[in-house]
Amino acid sequence: MNHRGVTLWFTGLSGAGKTTITQALKEKLLAENCKLEVLDGDIVRTNLTKGLGFSKEDRDENIRRIGFVSQLLTRNGVIVLVSAISPYRAVRQEVRGKIGDFVEVYVNAPLATCEERDVKGLYKRARAGEIKQFTGISDPYEPPEAPEIECRTDLEELSESVDKVWNKLVELKYLMP
């Protein structure tokens, strides 16, 4: 399959399904021999952005660093799958402007659904006051105003979400079957 470099930026609350969709899409793209990289927020925080906290300034810097790496990869023909909460609209727009070939995927699930899916117990800890500045509880999440794709993971199957992203990449001519 022919493809062009692009960054797919999966944003949404913790537990919304960003990593799940990213992993399923990764498998589908690899099966087509696409050149790709996955930048998962949790993994990036333990390596590339180690030492940053969760203040607004640190979160913005985290997103800028992920964006910088994404820009380098994208301009070299790589499909980059970024899975990061990235709660603030302005810094997502800033990164979009720098990367250019950027597709925002809003992984949307209600807070109650995300809390039900909380395998790490983070929401419970945040509600108990053990975790400060937790997105969706004590820190805001600013949903995208006009994402290219919205995946409603509380209403659709994983395959539907993956197909939405795949079809948009074909429509935008990032994938040429």
Side-chain angles (χ1 to χ4, degrees):
M1 173 168 294
N2 292 324
H3 69 276
R4 296 187 302 133
V6 62
T7 293
L8 287 109
W9 199 281
F10 293 83
T11 179
L13 292 172
S14 178
K18 297 176 300 298
T19 298
T20 301
I21 295 170
T22 298
Q23 290 303 315
L25 181 62
K26 171 188 167 186
E27 295 307 316
K28 190 169 180 173
L29 290 165
L30 286 175
E32 296 294 334
N33 296 314
C34 292
K35 213 167 46 166
L36 69 99
E37 284 294 333
V38 175
L39 299 176
D40 185 271
D42 289 340
I43 295 167
V44 168
R45 272 201 173 267
T46 61
N47 296 288
L48 180 66
T49 61
K50 193 175 191 171
L52 291 178
F54 290 92
S55 68
K56 180 173 185 335
E57 294 75 22
D58 282 356
R59 288 175 191 248
D60 285 351
E61 182 60 24
N62 181 50
I63 296 309
R64 285 185 186 103
R65 290 182 191 181
I66 295 170
F68 176 75
V69 173
S70 298
Q71 178 187 17
L72 293 175
L73 292 166
T74 296
R75 77 174 187 211
N76 283 288
V78 176
I79 296 173
V80 184
L81 308 179
V82 174
S83 173
I85 294 170
S86 41
Y88 305 114
R89 200 176 290 127
V91 77
R92 287 195 310 265
Q93 287 304 107
E94 177 186 322
V95 168
R96 172 192 290 271
K98 289 179 180 175
I99 295 172
D101 289 302
F102 183 100
V103 175
E104 188 171 43
V105 183
Y106 177 27
V107 182
N108 186 358
L111 179 60
T113 300
C114 294
E115 288 189 75
E116 287 171 19
R117 296 176 179 165
D118 186 21
V119 295
K120 298 177 190 172
L122 298 175
Y123 282 103
K124 187 175 182 179
R125 290 180 55 211
R127 291 219 181 263
E130 296 172 26
I131 301 175
K132 307 293 182 207
Q133 298 171 305
F134 191 80
T135 303
I137 303 297
S138 54
D139 215 48
Y141 176 77
E142 299 170 351
E145 293 177 328
E148 284 78 9
I149 305 160
E150 181 175 359
C151 297
R152 285 295 311 263
T153 60
D154 60 322
L155 302 175
E156 60 196 39
E157 296 295 321
L158 175 60
S159 61
E160 292 175 87
S161 296
V162 172
D163 287 347
K164 273 185 184 180
V165 178
W166 184 273
N167 293 336
K168 182 58 81 169
L169 290 175
V170 171
E171 176 189 326
L172 297 173
K173 302 207 182 324
Y174 287 111
L175 291 178
M176 281 93 31

